[in-house]
Amino acid sequence: MTQELVSLTIIMAVAAVSPIVAQLIPGKFIPQTVLLLAAGTALGPYGLGVIEVNDAVKLLNELGMAFLFLLAGYEIDPKRLAGHQGKVGLLTWGITLGLAWLVVTFLPFFTKQGINGVATVIALTTTALGTLMPILKERNLEGTPIGDAIISYGTWGELGPILAMAILLSTRTGWQTMLVLGAFLAICLLCAMLPTKALKTGHRLYRFLTENANTSSQTLMRLTTFLLIFLVTISALFELDAVLGAFAAGFILRYIIPDGSKSLEMKLEGVGYGFLIPVFFVVSGAAINVRAVAGRPALLVAFIVMLMLIRAVPVYVALSLDKRKNPLSSHHRVTVALYCTTALPIIVAVTSLAVKVGTMQSDTASTLVAAGAITVFLMPLLGSITYQVADVHPVTAVREIAHTPSDWQTIVREHAQVRALLHHQDRLKRMAETLESLEKQEGLNGLDSRRAELVERARLEIDRQLKELGLDPQLTTQLPHNYRYPKN
């Protein structure tokens, strides 16, 4: 027990220090997740060896992964899946799966590496939506057109591989697999229908649960945790991956409370991001054998390149062909595609399963997990760069400079100013939406009134600065990311 407590203490020390270190890094370009993974690699069995991945730590690791996928499933709006962008996202993921199968099957490189199996195909089609959500929140992309596109395409990049794992990596025959999945689906439907029916009828039990949700009973939190562990346990009993049960629990939770619950969300994020999810990322880092990865640099680089070609390119093409419904600039389409190439949790799950059944060597799995860990750092970084470049409109700036080279300093300064103003407008718009929702629910109190006044004053200041630049504030507000500068 002493060693388990020592390992857990070190893991939580890393979890506590990581956000502080991330904040101190200039530009804040390294997500906390990357620091957790790096610390796990350095302190784990293949590093300094101060973290021992024993049974107790493994259990917490599994719970951390379960909470990560619970929150990922909870972020999915069922209407989004059935909507236009959701359907395009599904089609895009299907194309990605086909491309991955062709590449892994017929490219000699993968055959020589001994990883031309289904597990590698699935790993090349994934998007780490659960990992991306806190990054999108940190970078104020949640609720923007870019953030919505990332979630729409990323949803199928996470849901698709989970279903593919259950179907394609099963050791059962085809009809047995379908029978087991059908039984699991029936259980999930039952878990979703009972609370929904109680909600509609206003059952006494439902009233009791809601009235005691924020007392010491914490009824809704306990029921949510029970739902999560119950479905993960059912997955284990049916010999399905725990990821499927956790994701289903989150999806069911969103179905039960489609409008969300701020109180419950705060508690889930507190338990998840405050405790269990950092454990998952540190332990995932500890599973990386640095020597094995260093011995196979070609596989590491090739896998990351293949992820970009197989996952990012189809997403970019789909967004380009769907410009009428999703009018994003080319830079922003690149941003969405790069974010959707972030991949780690599914790679951890699929490689662990492949190693367990003997279809993949542990050194190979370690290299693929390391590649996934690198994408968590690399893709959001590249996406952040393209996002910032997009609002500067570099092509337009180059044309203006070519037209009047003597004014290049003024042109560059004005483009930078407008990019900053547009960024502030996005934030102001989200603040205004929050205030409107509060006003509808409870009415503005004194604090909210002061916030509303500050927002209005900031809007007036932005309009004044836009007019000084010769821009129409109304036009810029309506099209914040597609604004085109007037020709000189």
Side-chain angles (χ1 to χ4, degrees):
M1 180 61 72
T2 302
Q3 183 57 49
E4 286 87 343
L5 288 173
V6 170
S7 295
L8 184 58
T9 299
I10 295 171
I11 291 171
M12 294 315 300
V14 170
V17 171
S18 292
I20 300 173
V21 175
Q23 183 72 20
L24 293 175
I25 296 174
K28 304 176 186 177
F29 65 93
I30 300 181
Q32 298 176 33
T33 304
V34 175
L35 299 177
L36 294 171
L37 290 165
T41 304
L43 301 176
Y46 301 106
L48 298 177
V50 295
I51 293 177
E52 181 181 316
V53 185
N54 43 53
D55 290 341
V57 173
K58 286 180 180 178
L59 178 59
L60 290 175
N61 173 58
E62 290 292 323
L63 289 174
M65 184 168 65
F67 257 85
L68 181 67
F69 281 97
L70 168 77
L71 292 171
Y74 180 75
E75 292 290 344
I76 296 174
D77 183 355
K79 295 179 182 178
R80 190 190 299 273
L81 291 179
H84 172 78
Q85 203 167 47
K87 293 176 182 177
V88 174
L90 173 59
L91 178 62
T92 304
W93 182 80
I95 293 171
T96 301
L97 182 66
L99 288 174
W101 180 81
L102 289 172
V103 168
V104 171
T105 303
F106 296 105
L107 197 67
F109 174 81
F110 285 96
T111 303
K112 291 178 181 178
Q113 297 289 334
I115 54 170
N116 57 337
V118 176
T120 308
V121 173
I122 295 174
L124 284 169
T125 67
T126 180
T127 296
L129 183 62
T131 305
L132 280 175
M133 289 310 302
I135 297 175
L136 296 180
K137 291 178 181 178
E138 289 173 10
R139 298 182 177 179
N140 296 315
L141 288 174
E142 191 178 30
T144 66
I146 292 176
D148 290 342
I150 292 170
I151 293 174
S152 294
Y153 285 87
T155 293
W156 286 109
E158 190 141 63
L159 179 58
I162 290 173
L163 295 175
M165 285 173 60
I167 297 171
L168 301 178
L169 293 180
S170 175
T171 56
R172 304 182 183 89
T173 59
W175 70 269
Q176 288 176 329
T177 300
M178 292 298 105
L179 184 62
V180 168
L181 286 176
F184 181 79
L185 177 61
I187 293 173
C188 290
L189 290 175
L190 187 63
C191 291
M193 289 171 61
L194 289 178
T196 305
K197 187 175 181 180
L199 172 62
K200 289 180 178 179
T201 58
H203 195 275
R204 285 186 301 173
L205 177 60
Y206 173 77
R207 292 199 300 272
F208 170 79
L209 294 175
T210 53
E211 289 170 0
N212 290 273
N214 295 314
T215 66
S216 59
S217 299
Q218 292 294 319
T219 48
L220 290 183
M221 183 63 186
R222 292 185 188 185
L223 278 176
T224 301
T225 307
F226 166 72
L227 174 67
L228 172 64
I229 296 177
F230 172 71
L231 290 180
V232 168
T233 303
I234 293 296
S235 299
L237 292 174
F238 285 178
E239 296 182 3
L240 300 170
D241 196 273
V243 168
L244 179 61
F247 199 84
F251 196 76
I252 291 170
L253 187 62
R254 172 58 72 180
Y255 176 78
I256 295 171
I257 44 175
D259 296 329
S261 169
K262 291 296 182 183
S263 175
L264 181 60
E265 289 166 19
M266 288 180 63
K267 294 167 189 174
L268 290 173
E269 290 180 355
V271 175
Y273 293 120
F275 176 34
L276 294 171
I277 293 175
V279 173
F280 166 71
F281 283 119
V282 173
V283 174
S284 297
I288 298 175
N289 187 339
V290 180
R291 292 182 180 179
V293 175
R296 308 185 72 174
L299 176 60
L300 180 72
V301 174
F303 191 79
I304 294 174
V305 172
M306 285 297 106
L307 272 172
M308 296 185 70
L309 293 176
I310 291 172
R311 184 68 183 140
V313 172
V315 171
Y316 178 83
V317 172
L319 285 168
S320 300
L321 295 176
D322 195 35
K323 286 179 67 175
R324 286 189 176 182
K325 293 286 185 178
N326 300 289
L328 298 175
S329 67
S330 59
H331 291 85
H332 287 157
R333 295 197 295 273
V334 171
T335 299
V336 173
L338 288 171
Y339 272 101
C340 286
T341 314
T342 305
L344 179 66
I346 293 291
I347 294 179
V348 173
V350 75
T351 53
S352 299
L353 186 58
V355 170
K356 187 183 298 183
V357 300
T359 58
M360 184 180 291
Q361 297 180 353
S362 59
D363 287 356
T364 302
S366 188
T367 304
L368 298 189
V369 171
I374 290 173
T375 64
V376 175
F377 163 70
L378 184 62
M379 301 308 168
L381 174 63
L382 295 176
S384 178
I385 292 172
T386 58
Y387 178 71
Q388 294 180 26
V389 167
D391 286 339
V392 179
H393 296 286
V395 175
T396 308
V398 170
R399 289 175 180 171
E400 291 179 0
I401 292 172
H403 187 265
T404 54
S406 59
D407 294 336
W408 71 270
Q409 289 180 320
T410 302
I411 293 170
V412 170
R413 184 176 65 254
E414 288 183 352
H415 278 250
Q417 286 177 339
V418 173
R419 189 203 71 79
L421 288 170
L422 296 179
H423 175 68
H424 287 306
Q425 282 192 329
D426 281 345
R427 295 182 64 184
L428 285 169
K429 182 180 178 181
R430 288 194 291 275
M431 287 175 65
E433 290 173 350
T434 302
L435 288 170
E436 288 175 5
S437 64
L438 288 172
E439 186 177 15
K440 290 178 181 178
Q441 293 174 7
E442 302 173 357
L444 289 171
N445 56 34
L447 178 60
D448 292 330
S449 299
R450 287 193 293 272
R451 286 178 60 194
E453 183 181 351
L454 288 172
V455 169
E456 185 60 30
R457 287 170 59 187
R459 282 176 179 157
L460 292 174
E461 177 62 19
I462 284 180
D463 288 351
R464 184 187 65 78
Q465 294 186 36
L466 286 172
K467 289 176 181 177
E468 286 183 0
L469 293 171
L471 302 174
D472 184 348
Q474 185 61 35
L475 177 61
T476 310
T477 300
Q478 292 172 352
L479 300 171
H481 292 301
N482 294 322
Y483 183 79
R484 292 295 179 265
Y485 293 86
K487 295 181 180 180
N488 287 344

